[in-house]
Amino acid sequence: MGRVVGKIALVSGAASGIGAACARLLAAEGAKVMLVDLNDEMAASVLAKIRAAGGEAEYHHLDVTSEPCWEAAMAAMEARFGGLNIAVNCAGTSVTKLTFPTETGLDEWRRIVGINLEGTFLATKHQLALMMRTSPVVGSIINISSVLGIVGQPGIASYNASKGGVRLYSKSVALSCAQDRVNVRVNTIHPGFIRTPLLEQSIARFGDAEEGRKFYDNLQPIGHLGEPEDIANGALYLASDESRFVTGAELVIDGGFTAR
Ligand code: NAP
């Protein structure tokens, strides 16, 4: 038996990296999964792999920063699957270059905070509403923050602020649900440096790819980067009933990065 059999799940950012790994694993463990993303081509490939492996999944094009998109996606979830139990909010982005705080442009700040923090707010708001209309109400929302939502790093203040915001926003929603006895748990995952297309962009900034990879490998006390599946395994635990007493928590999966 799979660990999330009979559950209905949504994964944002499901076309790539961590989101794709979460969508694949949830489907393999028995959930019906709605993939949402901007990148239709890559999402189609993830969807095809899930279906070829016997999983049940659909894809819906969505921009996480658009409230009408979330309303339409929730209507599609309800029509196709009849509700929602699990949401893993992976869609996110990072800065295109490191900047000193006096040089950070407002447009770039708003782009990062808009996708990472406001996108998570809109996602959580509409997912929670649908979970509360689903019978029975058994929900788990998993918001992907970062180790950089816990510790700072020079040059990426907007990313730090957006991911720190995701961390505390999620705790507040978890407490609101607990206080009102709404059976929806809300937790964050804080990945360390994970081998995905997003990280490849940071590695590319080194010019010499080998040097970039070595730099990122050595950031972790454990001596290497994480893989998307390392994060998906944590998401599966938080999605399943094994974590039924876990809410408002932060699951750090970082090869020891924040232990120092
Ligand atoms: P990724 O491979 O770039 O995947 C992110 C996905 O989100 C992409 O398919 C991207 O589409 C999509 N996306 C971006 N903006 C969107 C929007 N406005 N609406 C809908 N979809 C959108 O990145 P990843 O590394 O898997 O990252 C997933 C999450 O983990 C992010 O929140 C990231 O901040 C977090 N994280 C990653 C790391 C790491 O080392 N990789 C570490 C800590 C935290 P496009 O390709 O079209 O932009």
Side-chain angles (χ1 to χ4, degrees), residues 16 18 37 62-64 90 144-145 159 163 191-192 194 196-198:
S16 178
I18 293 169
D37 206 292
L62 169 144
D63 179 347
V64 292
C90 298
I144 305 298
S145 176
Y159 187 81
K163 291 298 186 177
I194 309 296
T196 70
L198 188 67

Side-chain angles (χ1 to χ4, degrees), residues 102-160:
T102 55
E103 304 302 322
T104 304
L106 184 56
D107 284 352
E108 175 68 352
W109 173 276
R110 285 183 174 150
R111 187 182 73 82
I112 301 291
V113 172
I115 295 173
N116 291 354
L117 181 53
E118 287 181 15
T120 301
F121 153 67
L122 289 173
T124 304
K125 173 183 167 182
H126 289 280
Q127 291 159 358
L128 177 56
L130 180 53
M131 285 177 180
M132 291 170 70
R133 292 199 300 276
T134 302
S135 178
V137 179
V138 185
S140 173
I141 298 176
I142 300 149
N143 289 330
I144 305 298
S145 176
S146 170
V147 285
L148 300 180
I150 300 175
V151 299
Q153 182 172 299
I156 59 164
S158 57
Y159 187 81
N160 277 145

Side-chain angles (χ1 to χ4, degrees), residues 186-200:
V186 186
N187 296 287
T188 48
I189 295 183
H190 300 262
F193 296 90
I194 309 296
R195 196 188 316 276
T196 70
L198 188 67
L199 188 78
E200 290 297 335

